[in-house]
Amino acid sequence: MSGNTQRLNVVPTVTVLQQIKQRLVGAKKGHQLLKKKSDALTMRFRQILKDIVATKEGMGESLRDALFALTEAKYVAGENLKYTVMDNVTQATLRVSSRTDNVAGIKLPAFDLQNSQGESKTDLTGLAKGGQQVQSSRATFAKSVKLLVDLASLQTSFLALDEAIKTTNRRVNALENVVKPRLENTISYIKGELDELEREEFFRLKKIQAKKKEAIQRAEQLKAAKALEEARNPNAAVHDTAGGPAGVRRPGCPP
């Protein structure tokens, strides 16, 4: 679609011109705000991407240490460690809660790890044999779970931000490449039509003035010609004044 045909189908009047100008001002302001929003979301997106990379690197090291600690605990406490832990654990000590973060009007889901552990039976697990290794393995796995929850929160926010950035960029591009050019072309069209109407009105007034001037000149010429004719033929003037030929007496009139 060319720039000349990409315009709104409106009636070219002054009122419509003012309305389109107001819409153009609103479109420009909305474009600026959406552009700032897109920049803010992009900055947060890049920061989350860096955090995801760092968390994944730390996740690998944490899981490696946790598995080594579990192997040490099994070596010291024996193969029955799994059943001992299952007998002593009655409820979860680590719980995940959800919340939302607001970034430039976009709500991002986030997860937090809550440790509801107090004095529990798990503190006495492995007391008879290998207690220190068991508690060390437990703390290491708790750290790994914390990293897993953080990674899940970051990746969920990453996906939500990616969709929000795409939507915002589509709106920015629509305002920049469709709405604003269409309004600007409409304003140019209305101005051109109004100028054309003004030129037509000016030409019409000039023609009316010219015709009036011609009529006045024609009347003056007729008046001058009549005066000249009366000056050349005074008898005709007397005849016209008396209502008959000169020297003829009307009946009933005194001699």
Side-chain angles (χ1 to χ4, degrees):
M1 185 180 294
S2 62
N4 293 330
T5 59
Q6 188 183 8
R7 62 173 178 81
L8 300 177
N9 187 14
V10 296
V11 179
T13 61
V14 178
T15 304
V16 175
L17 178 61
Q18 295 300 325
Q19 294 176 355
I20 298 298
K21 285 183 177 180
Q22 292 177 0
R23 290 178 60 180
L24 180 59
V25 171
K28 289 181 178 179
K29 187 177 294 184
H31 177 266
Q32 292 176 355
L33 293 176
L34 286 176
K35 190 66 176 174
K36 292 180 180 179
K37 178 180 179 180
S38 177
D39 294 340
L41 293 177
T42 303
M43 290 178 61
R44 183 63 181 271
F45 183 81
R46 292 173 180 174
Q47 183 62 42
I48 289 178
L49 183 59
K50 292 180 181 178
D51 294 341
I52 288 176
V53 174
T55 304
K56 284 186 176 181
E57 291 177 354
M59 190 69 209
E61 297 178 359
S62 178
L63 287 177
R64 182 192 61 192
D65 296 340
L67 291 176
F68 274 122
L70 178 61
T71 303
E72 291 178 357
K74 284 184 178 181
Y75 177 76
V76 175
E79 292 297 331
N80 294 328
L81 175 64
K82 178 176 69 173
Y83 302 103
T84 304
V85 173
M86 291 176 64
D87 291 339
N88 290 331
V89 174
T90 58
Q91 62 180 1
T93 57
L94 298 178
R95 300 179 183 273
V96 179
S97 62
S98 62
R99 57 182 174 84
T100 55
D101 292 336
N102 194 334
V103 179
I106 302 299
K107 294 182 178 181
L108 303 178
F111 307 108
D112 293 326
L113 185 65
Q114 296 179 350
N115 191 349
S116 59
Q117 161 193 331
E119 188 71 23
S120 63
K121 293 182 179 180
T122 56
D123 295 334
L124 304 177
T125 303
L127 183 61
K129 184 171 62 173
Q132 183 177 0
Q133 283 77 12
V134 172
Q135 296 301 323
S136 175
S137 176
R138 179 172 174 274
T140 308
F141 269 99
K143 182 181 177 182
S144 299
V145 172
K146 176 69 167 58
L147 290 176
L148 276 174
V149 172
D150 292 342
L151 183 60
S153 178
L154 289 172
Q155 287 186 336
T156 305
S157 299
F158 180 85
L159 295 176
L161 267 181
D162 182 51
E163 187 64 28
I165 289 173
K166 289 180 180 178
T167 303
T168 305
N169 287 337
R170 282 196 294 267
R171 293 176 180 175
V172 171
N173 293 332
L175 285 173
E176 184 176 357
N177 300 321
V178 178
V179 177
K180 287 172 61 179
R182 182 174 296 173
L183 293 176
E184 291 172 353
N185 291 336
T186 304
I187 291 175
S188 299
Y189 162 73
I190 294 176
K191 286 183 177 179
E193 291 295 322
L194 291 178
D195 291 341
E196 183 67 23
L197 291 175
E198 186 177 356
R199 285 192 293 269
E200 291 178 358
E201 183 67 17
F202 180 73
F203 179 76
R204 187 179 67 84
L205 291 176
K206 285 187 66 177
K207 293 293 290 183
I208 292 174
Q209 290 178 357
K211 288 184 177 296
K212 286 183 177 180
K213 188 180 294 184
E214 290 178 359
I216 292 172
Q217 291 178 355
R218 192 178 303 110
E220 291 178 351
Q221 290 176 358
L222 291 175
K223 186 176 180 181
K226 186 176 181 181
L228 182 61
E229 183 68 22
E230 291 176 354
R232 288 181 179 178
N233 192 1
N235 294 330
V238 173
H239 173 75
D240 293 339
T241 303
V248 178
R249 182 167 54 90
R250 292 183 178 182
C253 293

